[in-house]
């Protein structure tokens, strides 16, 4: 792996996991030394992160992690709806029915009362979501659409962390994904798109509720703390 790719992967993971919080300063000299790369590959990595919308340049040598708030989340979901509903329709028309039948069965076997609500179980569930996304991309067979989806998913990793401590929402999401996979397997494009629409509506509602519930009394603290959770 190239030095710039290594730097990008590390910084991306730290931003998505919340290790690097919104507003964190990424000084060129300090980050290059910390990551064990020279300045040129670091600049390439920061340029890719800027293109992703995850960092912004404040000065020639200082970059900061961007914030994400409720308005950002709504805008992400506007794009996500358009892309994922179209992808579900195309997958139902073009995809491998057996592959999605297997995924529907895997979702049906998820039992959040049997260890899935624990941290390891949630990670396993998100790994299953990643498998579903890969199958969806393969079924769509449209490089432009899947590239746009990858960009949205980059931000969703930050957003999804708001729902990680909501077992009821995770259980509902399991059922919603099972229905989407089953509809694609049955080649029912309308149901696949509608089930995706319902899933995204519920996901957005839950995330925005989490933002409100987690907000501290001090508005300034609210902005800092909530953005750290994203």
């Amino acid at each position: 792996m190239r030095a710039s790719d290594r730097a990008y992967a590390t910084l991306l993971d730290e931003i998505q996991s919340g290790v690097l919080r919104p507003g964190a300063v990424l000084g060129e000299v300090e980050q290059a030394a910390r990551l064990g790369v020279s300045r040129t590959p670091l600049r390439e990595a920061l340029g890719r992160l800027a293109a992703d919308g995850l960092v912004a340049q404040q000065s020639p040598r200082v970059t900061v992690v961007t914030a994400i708030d409720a308005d950002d989340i709504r805008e992400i979901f506007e794009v996500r709806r358009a892309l994922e509903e179209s992808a579900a329709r195309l997958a139902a028309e073009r995809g491998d029915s057996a592959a999605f039948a297997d995924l529907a069965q895997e979702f049906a076997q998820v039992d959040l009362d049997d260890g899935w609500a624990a941290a390891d179980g949630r990670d396993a569930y998100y790994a299953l979501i990643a498998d579903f996304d890969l199958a969806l991309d393969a079924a769509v067979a449209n490089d432009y659409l899947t590239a746009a989806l990858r960009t949205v998913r980059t931000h969703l990793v930050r957003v999804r962390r708001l729902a990680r401590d909501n077992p009821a929402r995770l259980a509902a999401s399991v059922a919603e994904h099972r229905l989407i996979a089953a509809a694609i397997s049955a080649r029912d494009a309308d149901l696949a798109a509608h089930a995706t629409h319902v899933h995204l509506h519920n996901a957005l509602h839950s995330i925005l509720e989490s933002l409100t519930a987690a907000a501290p009394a001090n508005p300034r603290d609210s902005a800092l703390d909530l953005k750290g959770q994203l």
Side-chain angles (χ1 to χ4, degrees):
M1 186 182 291
R2 296 186 310 154
S4 62
D5 291 335
R6 291 198 308 272
Y8 172 80
T10 300
L11 291 171
L12 175 63
D13 178 70
E14 291 176 344
I15 292 169
Q16 290 179 326
S17 66
V19 172
L20 289 174
R21 300 181 64 170
V25 176
L26 305 179
E28 186 177 293
V29 175
E30 294 80 7
Q31 293 301 317
R34 182 176 74 89
L35 297 173
V37 299
S38 64
R39 293 189 192 180
T40 297
L42 177 69
R43 288 170 189 156
E44 292 176 4
L46 292 175
R48 290 173 63 185
L49 291 167
D52 291 336
L54 297 175
V55 303
Q57 195 168 22
Q58 282 194 338
S59 71
R61 294 190 178 182
V62 176
T63 302
V64 298
V65 178
T66 56
I68 185 168
D69 59 20
D71 288 338
D72 294 320
I73 293 169
R74 291 187 186 94
E75 291 176 4
I76 289 169
F77 270 77
E78 285 177 358
V79 177
R80 190 183 178 194
R81 283 193 190 103
L83 296 174
E84 292 196 9
E85 289 179 32
S86 294
R89 283 188 177 279
L90 291 173
E93 296 168 0
R94 304 172 180 175
D96 181 347
S97 293
F100 283 95
D102 289 344
L103 282 165
Q105 182 63 26
E106 289 189 60
F107 281 115
Q109 292 173 348
V110 172
D111 184 357
L112 291 172
D113 294 326
D114 186 27
W116 280 82
D120 289 347
R122 291 197 303 270
D123 288 341
Y125 168 65
Y126 284 116
L128 180 55
I129 295 294
D131 289 342
F132 174 83
D133 288 343
L134 287 173
L136 192 70
D137 291 350
V140 167
N142 182 319
D143 290 342
Y144 298 101
L145 180 54
T146 55
L149 281 168
R150 280 195 297 272
T151 299
V152 170
R153 289 168 187 157
T154 296
H155 293 278
L156 285 176
V157 175
R158 301 175 86 190
V159 173
R160 277 175 175 161
R161 295 190 178 277
L162 280 178
R164 288 179 72 89
D165 294 325
N166 186 340
R169 176 59 208 148
L170 284 174
S173 181
V174 169
E176 291 159 7
H177 276 91
R178 183 197 62 76
L179 178 57
I180 296 168
I184 293 173
S185 175
R187 300 203 178 282
D188 189 332
D190 287 339
L191 178 58
H194 179 69
T196 300
H197 179 88
V198 170
H199 166 64
L200 296 180
H201 171 82
N202 291 341
L204 176 60
H205 180 74
S206 176
I207 290 167
L208 294 178
E209 273 195 340
S210 297
L211 278 171
T212 301
N218 186 316
R220 182 178 180 278
D221 292 341
S222 174
L224 293 173
D225 292 345
L226 288 177
K227 288 171 184 174
Q229 291 181 51
L230 293 168

